[in-house]
Amino acid sequence: MFCHQGVMMLRRYVWIVLHVCLALIAGLVLSVMPVAAAAPLQGDQQVYVVQAGDTLLAIAARFGVTVEALMAANGLDDANYIVVGQELVIPAPVEEGDTPPPAAAQPDTQVYVVKPGDTLGQIATHFGVTVEELMQLNGLTNPDYLAVGQELLIPTESLPETFPTPFEAITVTPLPVAQGQTLVIRVKLTQPASLSGEFDGRAVPFASEQNGGWALVGIHAMQKIGAYSLRVIARPQAGGEVTATIPVRVRGGPFATEDIPLSPERQQLLDPELVRAEEARVKQVWSQLSPRPLWEGPFRLPLQEERVTSFFGTRRSYNGGPVSGFHTGTDLGAEEGTPIFAPAAGRVKLAEQLTVRGGTTLIDHGLGVFSGYFHQAQINVEPGQMVQAGDLIGYVGNTGLSSGAHLHWELRVAGIAVDPMQWVGVLIP
Ligand SMILES: [Zn+2]
């Protein structure tokens, strides 16, 4: 009791208290707790009594000292093991000009302060790390125990500052990237070279421009959260091959779950054989690669009015069944017959009635980027036709597997469905 009286006590007072405590337990076996007896206090050291929810890191941050200094001052071997009620000697804060830096300034980590309602799972998803990774880094033993105000170290990766020749600069945005987002890579070169890339086993095609090039990577809506590597390969005209490796963290998207009620007639459209055949038909189109981008400037919304009735990435079930997939586009609510405009320039690659998708148009924007318009009442373009941004391409309807007039707008990057709304009004690349 007496020992745990204040949270913090001044040196001389504590020294006396420690003596009293030690005297009280003198007759007991002293191997109960692996808590080293504090070394005699020196200078302006303080004592701190460990509270419930404390971590060594949080204590170090509070007193502006390093975890290493705390461990050394208290003879601790294990940064993950402290006990409520344990008394820790707090060494003098590091003077200006001294090294080492405080724990918060460690490279490749950032500090997150736990807020009310946070769970470790949510924090992990938000930052693109696994719960296990967070527990290990922060010395947590119980994933269900978090204290509001507790400071958590979050691993981060920064882009290397220099790259091997012929790379002059490489930028990758956004980082971390969320499930369903489009990653934009820009490369500057010191000498002419052809560029290619690879992400998660998939080839990444580059568009070349003067002194460099750019590329897009679609992050799958169900991509496993965590750390990945993007490889950018330059082949200079003189010969040889140089690879730059860039760390890319994928974090969770903001996806809800929804159930779609379907009438028996519409449900027949879910015949797996039929779904598969149609899937193969559209996939054959959007897996093509036109080497040059056909669009310029930001994409526009394909309808005049923006009324999202179902977001991209929403996890979906039908008639109360289990979640069987995710929403591969954005649903824009509109009256039947509302005009649909091309959001950007491109070439029409498919324009026909499909069973599930209804009246369907697919536009190739080049460099593996395709946009899709489903459930149309009427299609106003033909395959092979070039369209410009703002051209009328069709009218909103309720055809195919649809339960009300709307436009399902889809965007594919090298076949991967991404959130089209990320592109609206934003200059990509
Ligand atoms: Zn839809």
Side-chain angles (χ1 to χ4, degrees):
M1 284 277 284
F2 191 45
C3 301
H4 302 162
Q5 209 172 7
V7 165
M8 208 192 309
M9 292 166 270
L10 288 176
R11 180 184 86 80
R12 270 167 235 292
Y13 176 58
V14 164
W15 197 217
I16 295 160
V17 172
L18 278 177
H19 272 109
V20 173
C21 293
L22 287 173
L24 282 174
I25 58 171
L28 303 173
V29 181
L30 284 174
S31 59
V32 178
M33 289 203 309
V35 177
L41 296 167
Q42 299 159 5
D44 48 3
Q45 288 177 345
Q46 303 168 323
V47 164
Y48 173 79
V49 179
V50 175
Q51 308 292 300
D54 272 347
T55 65
L56 214 52
L57 180 73
I59 298 167
R62 179 181 307 181
F63 291 99
V65 298
T66 64
V67 170
E68 293 69 30
L70 262 187
M71 290 176 71
N74 293 278
L76 304 179
D77 300 324
D78 185 353
N80 298 336
Y81 189 77
I82 49 174
V83 180
V84 173
Q86 181 176 350
E87 293 171 334
L88 293 178
V89 172
I90 308 294
V94 178
E95 297 291 330
E96 261 182 63
D98 282 2
T99 51
Q106 277 176 13
D108 303 322
T109 57
Q110 64 186 101
V111 173
Y112 175 78
V113 181
V114 175
K115 295 184 180 58
D118 276 349
T119 67
L120 208 57
Q122 285 168 351
I123 296 169
T125 299
H126 178 79
F127 287 103
V129 300
T130 61
V131 169
E132 294 70 34
E133 212 173 346
L134 273 186
M135 289 180 68
Q136 197 183 4
L137 184 65
N138 291 279
L140 307 179
T141 48
N142 183 353
D144 298 325
Y145 189 78
L146 276 185
V148 172
Q150 183 175 346
E151 292 176 331
L152 290 180
L153 276 187
I154 311 285
T156 58
E157 284 85 17
S158 41
L159 251 59
E161 275 171 24
T162 56
F163 295 96
T165 310
F167 293 109
E168 187 183 320
I170 301 176
T171 61
V172 180
T173 53
L175 281 181
V177 64
Q179 292 170 324
Q181 281 188 325
T182 303
L183 198 64
V184 182
I185 303 143
R186 293 183 190 82
V187 176
K188 267 181 118 177
L189 295 168
T190 56
Q191 56 176 277
S194 71
L195 290 168
S196 61
E198 191 256 343
F199 179 82
D200 197 28
R202 288 183 272 133
V204 177
F206 269 77
S208 61
E209 54 188 11
Q210 209 175 0
N211 306 325
W214 57 271
L216 304 174
V217 177
I219 305 297
H220 197 281
M222 305 280 228
Q223 186 87 35
K224 195 168 174 291
I225 289 167
Y228 292 84
S229 287
L230 167 74
R231 298 197 319 131
V232 180
I233 302 132
R235 289 182 184 83
Q237 283 166 359
E241 182 180 299
V242 182
T243 300
T245 304
I246 291 124
V248 172
R249 226 168 237 287
V250 175
R251 60 187 182 87
F255 308 132
T257 300
E258 69 183 359
D259 185 68
I260 310 287
L262 286 177
S263 64
E265 310 88 69
R266 301 240 168 185
Q267 223 177 337
Q268 284 171 8
L269 293 174
L270 282 179
D271 169 19
E273 205 45 49
L274 206 149
V275 172
R276 255 199 301 278
E278 188 175 309
E279 198 66 36
R281 169 101 179 87
V282 290
K283 199 176 168 189
Q284 180 269 327
V285 174
W286 65 51
S287 59
Q288 297 168 21
L289 175 66
S290 309
R292 283 186 312 107
L294 300 172
W295 82 98
E296 253 181 28
F299 272 50
R300 308 176 189 187
L301 203 68
L303 301 185
Q304 231 148 28
E305 198 190 339
E306 179 181 330
R307 188 162 64 84
V308 177
T309 56
S310 174
F311 290 94
F312 169 87
T314 306
R315 276 50 174 145
R316 281 189 157 177
S317 61
Y318 293 92
N319 284 343
V323 169
S324 54
F326 67 97
H327 190 210
T328 54
T330 299
D331 285 352
L332 297 166
E335 304 261 303
E336 178 135 3
T338 302
I340 304 167
F341 305 101
R347 188 180 297 282
V348 177
K349 281 291 171 78
L350 181 147
E352 65 189 53
Q353 287 294 324
L354 298 175
T355 317
V356 177
R357 290 168 178 80
T360 298
T361 302
L362 295 178
I363 300 176
D364 177 7
H365 299 283
L367 205 69
V369 177
F370 282 78
S371 60
Y373 309 82
F374 303 167
H375 314 302
Q376 296 173 88
Q378 195 188 318
I379 299 171
N380 276 47
V381 288
E382 287 174 358
Q385 185 182 336
M386 273 297 295
V387 292
Q388 299 303 321
D391 284 356
L392 177 73
I393 58 168
Y395 294 92
V396 170
N398 186 29
T399 56
L401 187 64
S402 167
S403 53
H406 75 284
L407 173 67
H408 171 105
W409 181 31
E410 189 157 313
L411 200 66
R412 298 262 167 182
V413 174
I416 304 286
V418 295
D419 185 356
M421 299 305 277
Q422 191 203 344
W423 285 58
V424 175
V426 177
L427 190 62
I428 291 180

